[in-house]
Amino acid sequence: MSNTEERLKSNIDKARLIFLQEINERLPEALKSIDCIKGYGYDIQSIERLYKFTHTLRGSGETIGMFGISHPAAEMNVALKLIKNYGVKLEKGIIAFLDERLEEIVEEIGDNHSNNNLHFKISKSSNSKKKIYVIDDDATVTSLVSEVLTEQGFKVMAFHETKKAEKYIKIEQPDLIVLDIILSTEDEGIEFCRKIRSCECFKLIPIIFLTRKNELNDKLEGFANGADDYMGKPFQVEELAARVHSILNRLEIHQYLILRDELTQVYNRRYLEQRLPEEVAKAKRIGSIFSIAMIDIDFFKQINDEYGHATGDDVLQSFVELMNKSLRTSDVICRYGGDEFIVIFTDTPKAVANQVLERLRDEVAKRPVMLIKDKVSINITVSIGVAGFDEDGTSVDELILSADSALYNSKALGRNMVSLSKRESNNIV
Ligand code: GH3
Ligand code: MG
C-alpha cells in the first residue's frame, strides 16, 4: 500500500470511529422515539427526530463506506419522509418496518464496535441523570452494584442503613431504590419500603429488593409491601442492571403517556400545571425571564360544523405539526384544552416571543391545511396573547390571566392577531 493509500485508509478509519461515536450518542434518542411510536402511534416530534437521525446516517454512512448502516437508514429516511410530508399513514406495517430497519442499524453498529460493548454506551447516555439508591449493609454488595450502575451512567448513592437514606430521600427523590431486607433488624428493608410507600409523593419510586431472604413467602411479603421486583442473593449484577433498565424504561414510557395530549401528542394540561410553577420558581430563584403565549384557533367551531369533528381533529393535528416545525425545541407546547394551546418560551423575553409568534401567525394564515384524505384545503387563522415574566405577572395564575386578556384583545380586535399583555389593563394589582 502506498503512503497516500495508507493515509487515506487511516483517515477513513478515524472518520468511522467518530461516526460510530456520534451514532452511539444519538442512538438512545432514536430508540426512545421508535418506542414512543410503537407504544403510541403518530408523534411528530419522534418522527422528526428519527428523520434527522436517519438522514445523518444515510449521508455520512455512505461517504465512509458503512453501507450496512447507510442502507437501512436510507430506507427508514424515505419512509419517514412519506409519513412527514406526503400524508402516508403510520400504520402497523410501517412501524414494524421502521423498527426492523433500526434494529439492523443497531446490530451493525454492535458488530462494528471492537469491544462489542454497545448496550453499555446506550445505557450510559439515556440514563445519565437518573438517581439510584442502593441500601445494603454489605459493603461488597453496595460497592459492586454502585460500580456497575455508575459505569452505565446512573448517579448512584450507597447507604448501609435505611435511616440515612430516609433523610436524603426527602431532599432529592431517587428514580429507583435497590433495597436489602435484613439490615440491622430482620425486616428493616420491609419496614422502610412500607414507610415510603405510605407517603403519597414516594408511591411511584420503583423498589427492587435484593436479599438473602429467598423463599416464596419472603417474596410474597416483599411484593405485598410494595416491591416492584425481587432478586435473591447470590445474584448476577448484570441481571440486576438489566432489571433496573427495564423498570426505568417502562416508567419513562408511562410518564410520557400521562403527560401528553392524546390527539396531538404535544404536552397536556397536566404537564403545563407541573411545568409552569417550575419555570416561575426557577425565574425567581436565578432571576431569569420567560414568556408564555395563549394561542386559539379562530372560529374553530365552524370547521367542526362544516366538515365534521374528525376533520376538526385533523386540522388540530396539522396546526400542531406547523407549530412543531416553526418553534424551537426549547419552546414547550401544551394543549390547554379544545382549540387552545399554551406555549412556554423558556429564557425568552416577550419581545422575542412576539416576533416568533408573529411569524407563526403569518404562516398559519398563509398556508391552508391540506387534508388529502378529505380532498379539502381549509384556511385557518389563530389569535394569540403573550405575557412575560415578570412584567405581566409573577405567579402562574397572573401570567395565565395576562396571556388570556391579551388573547381576548386579539379576538376583540378582529382575530388573526398577536397581542402583548399590558399588565395595567388586566387590573392585576
Ligand atoms: P373563536 O374564534 O372565538 O375562538 O371561536 P371558536 O369557534 O374557535 O371558539 P369555541 O371555543 O366556541 O370553539 C372551540 C370548539 O372546539 C368547540 C369544541 O366543540 C371544539 N373542540 C374542542 N375539542 C375538540 C377536539 O378535540 N376535536 C375537535 N374536532 N373539536 C374540538
Ligand atoms: Mg377558538
Side-chain angles (χ1 to χ4, degrees):
M1 205 187 278
S2 72
N3 276 352
T4 320
E5 280 171 327
E6 249 172 40
R7 223 177 304 126
L8 194 63
K9 187 179 174 304
S10 118
N11 283 344
I12 287 184
D13 284 345
K14 252 188 241 159
R16 285 184 174 172
L17 215 63
I18 293 167
F19 178 63
L20 285 170
Q21 271 166 0
E22 200 204 339
I23 304 179
N24 246 8
E25 269 163 28
R26 293 177 61 184
L27 199 53
E29 199 178 67
L31 291 171
K32 226 186 270 173
S33 301
I34 201 89
D35 276 345
C36 286
I37 292 172
K38 272 158 69 183
Y40 208 63
Y42 189 88
D43 166 34
I44 185 66
Q45 280 165 343
S46 299
I47 286 168
E48 283 288 353
R49 273 198 290 269
L50 279 174
Y51 181 77
K52 281 184 194 149
F53 177 67
T54 52
H55 182 80
T56 311
L57 259 56
R58 178 188 190 169
S60 311
E62 222 157 57
T63 314
I64 53 175
M66 298 187 79
F67 300 109
I69 291 174
S70 69
H71 281 166
E75 287 179 338
M76 281 181 84
N77 196 245
V78 171
L80 289 159
K81 191 169 184 176
L82 290 173
I83 294 161
K84 238 165 55 87
N85 299 349
Y86 297 94
V88 169
K89 281 260 174 248
L90 186 65
E91 280 163 352
K92 264 189 188 161
I94 295 198
I95 296 177
F97 174 82
L98 291 172
D99 193 31
E100 280 166 21
R101 298 293 84 74
L102 189 59
E103 206 134 87
E104 270 177 46
I105 294 171
V106 170
E107 260 171 39
E108 187 68 23
I109 299 166
D111 291 340
N112 273 285
H113 263 289
S114 51
N115 56 4
N116 215 4
N117 217 2
L118 177 72
H119 291 291
F120 221 65
K121 287 178 181 162
I122 290 172
S123 321
K124 196 167 182 159
S125 40
S126 68
N127 292 310
S128 56
K129 283 180 199 142
K130 303 244 166 82
K131 254 174 277 152
I132 297 183
Y133 284 6
V134 183
I135 310 173
D136 199 307
D137 58 349
D138 185 338
T140 316
V141 171
T142 50
S143 116
L144 176 66
V145 174
S146 301
E147 196 177 311
V148 168
L149 292 178
T150 305
E151 271 175 355
Q152 299 204 5
F154 294 107
K155 206 173 139 193
V156 183
M157 277 187 83
F159 301 92
H160 296 134
E161 48 177 316
T162 56
K163 253 194 205 128
K164 206 160 182 194
E166 205 176 323
K167 269 190 205 154
Y168 273 86
I169 237 174
K170 288 176 187 150
I171 311 164
E172 46 145 40
Q173 237 195 65
D175 294 286
L176 184 144
I177 302 172
V178 178
L179 179 60
D180 189 11
I181 291 184
I182 310 171
L183 289 133
S184 60
T185 64
E186 262 300 295
D187 59 357
E188 186 178 325
I190 293 280
E191 277 304 315
F192 179 71
C193 183
R194 201 181 295 147
K195 201 167 177 181
I196 62 170
R197 284 287 185 251
S198 67
C199 177
E200 200 56 47
C201 49
F202 301 137
K203 271 204 162 36
L204 288 178
I205 302 177
I207 296 177
I208 304 178
F209 276 122
L210 180 64
T211 172
R212 262 188 293 118
K213 285 186 136 185
N214 214 2
E215 299 296 323
L216 175 64
N217 275 342
D218 301 324
K219 292 180 188 169
L220 294 181
E221 195 189 358
F223 284 115
N225 281 289
D228 293 276
D229 202 353
Y230 200 106
M231 273 184 81
K233 291 177 187 167
F235 68 105
Q236 304 284 336
V237 73
E238 294 85 357
E239 185 184 339
L240 174 68
R243 286 174 189 242
V244 166
H245 282 295
S246 161
I247 291 177
L248 288 176
N249 288 344
R250 203 141 287 280
L251 197 65
E252 209 165 282
I253 293 173
H254 191 243
Q255 274 165 351
Y256 175 91
L257 293 178
I258 58 170
L259 298 174
R260 295 281 170 161
D261 170 53
E262 210 175 336
L263 178 68
T264 61
Q265 300 295 298
V266 288
Y267 288 113
N268 57 20
R269 193 163 174 157
R270 189 199 301 248
Y271 179 81
L272 179 80
E273 281 163 4
Q274 284 177 17
R275 179 68 187 262
L276 211 41
E278 280 170 21
E279 286 301 322
V280 168
K282 185 182 115 193
K284 283 182 179 166
R285 197 174 59 244
I286 62 171
S288 58
I289 48 161
F290 70 95
S291 308
I292 66 164
M294 201 174 262
I295 307 176
D296 187 283
I297 302 178
D298 298 326
F299 303 120
F300 183 65
K301 202 170 165 309
Q302 279 178 16
I303 296 173
N304 274 338
D305 292 345
E306 192 170 333
Y307 301 97
H309 205 268
T311 302
D313 283 357
D314 291 345
V315 170
L316 282 169
Q317 284 173 331
S318 295
F319 170 57
V320 165
E321 217 169 284
L322 186 63
M323 276 204 285
N324 276 322
K325 275 190 195 141
S326 316
L327 303 178
R328 300 163 305 185
T329 44
S330 57
D331 303 332
V332 184
I333 307 170
C334 310
R335 187 170 178 203
Y336 195 50
D339 62 341
E340 205 165 31
F341 297 84
I342 287 187
V343 180
I344 308 174
F345 295 89
T346 54
D347 300 312
T348 308
K350 201 163 68 167
V352 176
N354 181 41
Q355 282 172 10
V356 174
L357 290 158
E358 190 50 58
R359 237 188 352 255
L360 173 72
R361 183 208 57 73
D362 187 49
E363 248 183 278
V364 173
K366 273 201 312 227
R367 199 191 299 186
V369 177
M370 310 285 286
L371 297 175
I372 296 164
K373 79 171 178 353
D374 298 327
K375 297 195 180 87
V376 288
S377 78
I378 300 173
N379 290 302
I380 62 166
T381 58
V382 286
S383 296
I384 302 176
V386 196
F389 182 96
D390 55 356
E391 69 237 69
D392 302 313
T394 52
S395 71
V396 169
D397 289 347
E398 283 176 0
L399 283 166
I400 290 186
L401 186 61
S402 294
D404 197 24
S405 302
L407 170 62
Y408 179 81
N409 282 346
S410 292
K411 293 279 184 191
L413 293 171
R415 295 175 168 81
N416 187 21
M417 187 178 287
V418 183
S419 299
L420 296 183
S421 160
K422 292 184 192 66
R423 201 178 182 200
E424 308 75 58
S425 65
N426 298 333
N427 297 325
I428 299 167
V429 234

